[in-house]
Amino acid sequence: MNSADYSTHGAVAVVTLNNPPVNGLSHELRGAIVAGLDQALADPAVKAIVLIGAGKAFSGGADIREFNTPKATAEPNLGSVIRAVERSPKPVIAAIHDVAMGGGLELALGCHYRVAAKGAQIGFPEVKLGILPGAGGTQRFPRAVGPETAVSLIVSGNPVPSEALESTGLFDRLIEGDLLQGAIAFADQVVDRRPLKLVRDIKIDYPHAEAFFAWARTSVGASSKGFPAPVKCVEAVAASVSKPFEEGLKLERDLFTQLVQSTESKALRHLFFAERAAAKIPDLPEGTPTRPIKSAAVIGAGTMGGGIAMNFANAGIPITVLEVKQEALDKGLAAVRKNYEGQVRKGKLKPAALEERMGLIKPSLDYADLGQADLVIEAVFEDMAVKEAVFKKLDEVMKPGAILATNTSTLDVNRIAGFTRRPQDVIGLHFFSPANVMRLLEVVRGKATGKDVLATAMGLAKKLKKTAVVSGVCDGFIGNRMLGPYGRQAGFLLEAGALPWQVDAALERFGMAMGPFRMADMAGGDIGWAVRKRLYVEKPQVKFSKIADRLCELGRFGQKTGAGYYRYEPGKRDAIPDSEVEALVVGSSKELGVTRRKITDDEIVERCIFALVNEGAKIVDEGIAARASDCDLVYITGYGFPQVRGGPMFYASTVGLYDVVRSMKRFHADPLGDPGFWRPAELIERLAAEGKSFSNT
Ligand code: T1G
């Protein structure tokens, strides 16, 4: 493994890339490819060479496991391998199946010929890692497919199937049937063709270059705010038209070096690994048996229930939706259909697919209809008494071995499991609204949850195309628990001297998709009010600004009531600063005897973001989250934290934990509304003292 196998078929040598799982171009594999080439060149009986991939890919690109290690650039680096291929006096044919991405596609572009099976994913995902193709892809790909197609694929980072590029010069043939046999037959046909043509020697004749690249720079720049890589991709591709190949290659290398050292790229690469790490559960061995999920059910056809049902229908899993009243059921299914119709209008869904998916969603008013489902998800009102009634009923009707999941966003999953005689089958599947859009799924593991149930939930998440993060049981799990101190600190800032629109603007300039007060108005102030009322009883030591309650007492729940922290014109969602709220805020400070002071945007960002970080560290300390990067993933995929900052914990590491702790101590001396708020988490203090960052956890 992590090598290249060599064989000959008549006059054709075959070098097979073999580095599971996707033939990442590791240092060992790169050396093995060159060795295979040399062996073929040294054999006079060999007239042509085929490069092909073992397993499920030609190559998924550079081996990401070597990132940030010396091996990534050790010779032969990918550029050297590609030059060795180009300098071969015997034709080299790339035979592509399943995946040719990133460096894998760059390797293929260095070959004299390329043949492919239909359906192979062809693309350059580098931009999603905050970099650009760094082994000649920005110079060779435009020469093979034209500048416009090259800009589209390199800037988007999304792969296309090989047949979509059939009309370009990328492939010399699409092979039906056995790829290897087809490639060998093709090699036999071209074995004597001379001179050997190289993609790098193609001169691009593109009269629209100036206009196209001016447009591309403007439009890509506008749509990639905060992400430096896409615009640099355009620059590199432009050079393939305006400069000789070697000069273009040098520009690509310079741009790659700038990007790979950028904080944005380090953040995006951190998230790439975080997403994969989250799937690894320390005490859940690979290959833990799972239960088949051939059918599902959801209790409740409200916004959440309907969105959840869509996830299953989108994945082709039939799902029964149960309500207590026909009217609620009809309303819920109508909302689902309306959602799909919107996707059809936008061209994101074919009309036939709409009916197919609606056909997978079966409405019901009778629990007996659920009995044979493999999984049921409760998505009813967030009240423990209601959950108790539902789970006792589910315990009666669901077949043995069915998984009983709750979509609760904060309530104790252990208590819910206790309402049944099968706590090992109970788990939390916390979807985020709108459930058919938001990628995050918090998988809440109860103390009794079976390992097979957990493994099944993780596999289901992948099938539903969700980013699953495992959480232990605590109030708010990971995301909402971190949101608590963040919102409390924002409230205290209002009493100290800030206004809602200043706090929101500061955090949105930092990169948050939505500031805390606009978010509260969107979610509905009454939701938070109910949680605070529960906490006033259960956790009286947790202090809150009274401003939120004051607004709720006035019936100002946000968008749903036309006024909250902001006011809203009828039918509009634009948040308009409101002098009534300003008067209420200033009045609150006066009542508290607080002399309002100027609050800078920096202080707003530090106090709110470090509040997230401190709670995240406590969550890791308590083992609720397995690692700090899980907290990052939750905040990026569920709460609109800016990707280019890598998540709250990664951001704190880039600031430096020593400085974060110093800021926390400064805030502790001026705690605003809660003297106990700024006690640094043990994990942060320990890492800061050791000069470490969260990536060491
Ligand atoms: N190297 C090593 N391992 C990789 C890998 C790679 N490039 N890509 C995926 N894996 C692992 C992944 O971690 C997982 O491992 C397993 O393969 C299955 O992945 C110079 C510098 C290729 C389309 O960014 O897009 O080339 O968790 O579940 O759904 O210009 O993986 O099972 O242990 O995603 O079938 C550019 C990223 C690198 C490719 C397959 N390449 N990967 O999807 O499987 S930069 C990428 C993907 C570069 C050059 C630059 C997908 C896939 P495990 P999976 P999949």
Side-chain angles (χ1 to χ4, degrees), residues 55-73:
K56 64 176 199 176
F58 171 74
S59 168
D63 192 324
I64 51 179
R65 293 167 294 197
E66 287 186 350
F67 271 8
N68 309 328
T69 74
K71 279 189 163 188
T73 52

Side-chain angles (χ1 to χ4, degrees), residues 21-22 24-25 56 60-65 67 78 99 101-104 106 121 124-126 129 131-135 256 272 276 280 462:
V22 295
L25 293 164
K56 64 176 199 176
D63 192 324
I64 51 179
R65 293 167 294 197
F67 271 8
L78 186 53
V99 171
M101 291 171 83
E106 291 175 301
Q121 290 187 73
F124 286 108
E126 287 87 339
L129 300 173
I131 50 181
L132 49 69
F256 182 89
F272 180 88
R276 283 158 176 73
K280 301 207 175 12
K462 196 159 186 176

Side-chain angles (χ1 to χ4, degrees), residues 148-193:
E148 295 183 20
T149 303
V151 164
S152 167
L153 263 72
I154 291 173
V155 167
S156 73
N158 298 325
V160 296
S162 46
E163 57 270 29
L165 299 168
E166 189 172 5
S167 61
T168 70
L170 179 62
F171 298 117
D172 299 280
R173 184 173 298 172
L174 288 190
I175 303 284
E176 302 282 347
D178 184 283
L179 176 66
L180 178 58
Q181 292 315 315
I184 291 169
F186 178 83
D188 285 332
Q189 288 168 10
V190 302
V191 67
D192 296 323
R193 248 186 237 169

